[in-house]
Amino acid sequence: MTKALEISGLKKTYRGGLQALKGLDLTVNEGDFYALLGPNGAGKSTTIGVVSSLVNKTEGSVKVFGYDLDSQLADVKRCIGLVPQEFNFNQFETVLQIVVNQAGYYGVSRTLAKERAEKYLTQLGLWEKRNDPARTLSGGMKRRLMIARALLHEPKLLILDEPTAGVDIELRRSMWDYLTQINGQGITIILTTHYLEEAETLCRNIGIIDKGRIIENTSMKALLSKLNIETFVLDLDPYDGHPTLDGFTMRELDNHTLEVDVPKERGLNRVFEQLSAQGLKVLSMRNKANRLEELFVDLVEQGRNQKESVE
Amino acid sequence: MSNPMNLTALRTIWIKECTRFLRIWVQTLVPPAITMTLYFIIFGNLIGQRIGEMDGVSYMEFIVPGLIMMSVITNAYSNVASSFFSAKFQRNIEEMLVAPVSTLTIILGYVGGGVARSLIVAVVVTIVASFFVPLNIQHFWLIVVTVVLTATLFALAGLINAVFAKTFDDISIIPTFVLTPLTYLGGVFYSISLLPEFWQVVSKANPIIYMVNAFRYGFIGVSDINAYVALGVLVLFNIAFGALAWLLLNRGIGIRS
Ligand SMILES: Nc1ncnc2c1ncn2[C@@H]1O[C@H](COP(=O)(O)OP(=O)(O)OP(=O)(O)O)[C@@H](O)[C@H]1O
Ligand SMILES: [Mg+2]
């Protein structure tokens, strides 16, 4: 299978001495929808910066669709469309100027650029705004403008650095639909996000990065299967005495709240059966926390402990 | 690296640069016309009448080429310095850096924009001048070559300034403390033959002397310095500044972390 991105042993030390990447390895297959997750300052944007040649690497190798970043830079660049984390267009230029110029930098003729601009700006709901200066757009529109701009040279690999930061839920969902749709048309997508729900909904594979290293690189499915125990919070009619639950770990928070750990294979029926047998009435139930978020925090913590024991 | 001459990209950058200064024409094209009109009225007309002749022509005729040159220099410099710096500042420079645009293309595009603006300004100022004094052109092509080389040189200098600049102040320091003094001492308002021997020698270390004199020679056929020597000096400076700009940008100084 063709590799859309192959990074090995990537190191980056910024001027001033901060080592942002400490030997990062990452492979993304063609056609994949890949999420790069990690806490603030983990090195996600730095990695993307190196791949898109905005940041000079210190060590290591990067290949995009088999082209080497050092010796075939122009080919690498043609494969990639970048949606950066921060707005980086000229605020005084109009939407149309921005996307058409970007196409020009990639060598797309002006006529073709204008055709594509209409196509992508329409798809992203910005065609009406084409003659407005970028600074007059809302935050969500600016994000979509950057997506349109990244697509105009029709790249094979689209890299989005937190594309949905500061975007409302409705718009976020429509962006998800759009990304899924273009991924279906064959564009490989890599995105970073802090919303785990986003990674869960969109991505097939996932890499977790912390302190400049990949600490987990797996499929979304495999990751979710690690989540075999869920904790539920049950709200009961106030009761006297202490309920018992055979085969489950349980904590009583007060005289009307229970916290129960439920292994997936065991299911919830037996919890309810036992509770009703004891004459207890369940009023409502909820997940204790976003399990994916907890898992994420666990993984990062595990990664840190492992590293400490190695060092 | 990338195809050294990506023509579509070059045209894109150049058109973008021209669009920029045309969009803000009140800031870019009008001020030189006003400043030069004032110079013509005050120095040329009012004071010039008392000075009499310089190098065998009226004082007004003498200063016109230098004043045109002065606006060419400041406009070429400030166009590229502020446009490139603001591209760094707003980070839209990244639009070019992620694309297969070579360093040479970026330099030619920006410098081309600066040269376009200063040529437009040169034409405007020349038209203004023609209201005050009959324009006399001795060597048309020398004028064209000199003005293009000068504009290119200062556009390159503005670019280099912008590469190093970290704040907007940094792109006004060089014009204020280096460019303006050199221009005023560059023989715009006087013939260096008026100076004592020692100061004549010192003056010749000032590159602007060569441009102003070559340019003036093109108009009135009189110069303190051989016009072809002056052109040679200009070409050398262009090569040196061009090479420096290329080295800086290619290494990503000030634009890549
Ligand atoms: N231009 C720079 N100069 C110096 N240090 C930098 C630079 N850019 C990033 N860093 C540092 O490198 C580290 C990694 O930063 P990076 O932006 O890659 O993190 P991130 O994973 O994208 O974080 P976030 O989720 O907050 O966007 C941080 O410690 C950051 O301070
Ligand atoms: Mg980031």
Side-chain angles (χ1 to χ4, degrees), chain A residues 65-290:
Chain A
F65 286 96
Y67 297 117
D68 186 85
L69 185 72
D70 295 316
S71 55
Q72 297 161 295
L73 183 59
D75 294 309
V76 167
K77 285 175 167 179
R78 268 186 276 273
C79 291
I80 299 177
L82 175 71
V83 180
Q85 183 171 2
E86 322 261 354
F87 301 132
N88 71 339
F89 38 75
N90 186 331
Q91 302 277 340
F92 299 98
E93 286 173 8
T94 68
V95 169
L96 194 60
Q97 277 171 343
I98 289 171
V99 295
V100 168
N101 284 345
Q102 184 68 69
Y105 300 150
Y106 284 96
V108 178
S109 76
R110 237 174 158 72
T111 335
L112 183 56
K114 284 188 177 148
E115 275 170 33
R116 287 190 189 166
E118 179 165 2
K119 173 179 163 194
Y120 290 107
L121 289 177
T122 308
Q123 285 178 4
L124 286 154
L126 287 172
W127 184 243
E128 302 295 299
K129 296 274 181 187
R130 63 190 176 280
N131 294 321
D132 293 2
R135 77 185 125 83
T136 64
L137 301 183
S138 76
M141 291 174 188
K142 287 177 180 168
R143 293 256 159 230
R144 282 179 285 154
L145 168 58
M146 295 210 296
I147 297 179
R149 184 184 64 178
L151 288 172
L152 235 74
H153 65 289
E154 308 208 316
K156 297 207 275 182
L157 171 63
L158 181 65
I159 304 180
L160 307 108
D161 199 350
E162 294 189 33
T164 54
V167 169
D168 73 35
I169 298 174
E170 198 188 333
L171 187 55
R172 193 180 306 160
R173 287 185 196 274
S174 82
M175 259 160 85
W176 290 354
D177 288 342
Y178 186 68
L179 293 176
T180 311
Q181 183 196 327
I182 61 174
N183 177 244
Q185 291 161 6
I187 299 182
T188 310
I189 300 183
I190 300 177
L191 63 76
T192 74
T193 179
H194 287 286
Y195 304 111
L196 287 144
E197 189 202 350
E198 182 163 293
E200 192 179 349
T201 317
L202 291 175
C203 301
R204 275 188 290 283
N205 290 295
I206 182 170
I208 297 179
I209 173 172
D210 184 44
K211 301 196 167 164
R213 283 196 180 87
I214 293 282
I215 55 168
E216 184 78 43
N217 187 1
T218 173
S219 73
M220 201 66 216
K221 255 194 201 136
L223 190 71
L224 290 173
S225 73
K226 286 191 181 180
L227 301 166
N228 52 2
I229 298 184
E230 285 188 67
T231 303
F232 291 95
V233 181
L234 306 183
D235 196 17
L236 308 177
D237 244 357
Y239 56 80
D240 303 316
H242 299 285
T244 54
L245 273 179
D246 253 359
F248 296 94
T249 328
M250 174 202 73
R251 291 165 296 280
E252 277 181 80
L253 301 188
D254 49 38
N255 75 339
H256 60 94
T257 317
L258 291 183
E259 230 182 68
V260 189
D261 296 336
V262 183
K264 262 200 179 141
E265 69 278 6
R266 213 161 291 174
L268 281 164
N269 290 10
R270 288 186 48 204
V271 174
F272 291 117
E273 282 162 15
Q274 293 187 49
L275 289 177
S276 31
Q278 292 166 57
L280 294 165
K281 187 174 171 194
V282 181
L283 299 175
S284 68
M285 180 181 80
R286 62 182 163 87
N287 268 65
K288 186 181 174 190
N290 186 323

Side-chain angles (χ1 to χ4, degrees), chain A residues 44-80:
Chain A
K44 302 180 296 294
S45 298
T46 303
T47 307
I48 290 173
V50 170
V51 174
S52 54
S53 71
L54 291 175
V55 174
N56 290 328
K57 65 186 161 64
T58 312
E59 227 183 284
S61 90
V62 176
K63 283 194 175 136
V64 177
F65 286 96
Y67 297 117
D68 186 85
L69 185 72
D70 295 316
S71 55
Q72 297 161 295
L73 183 59
D75 294 309
V76 167
K77 285 175 167 179
R78 268 186 276 273
C79 291
I80 299 177

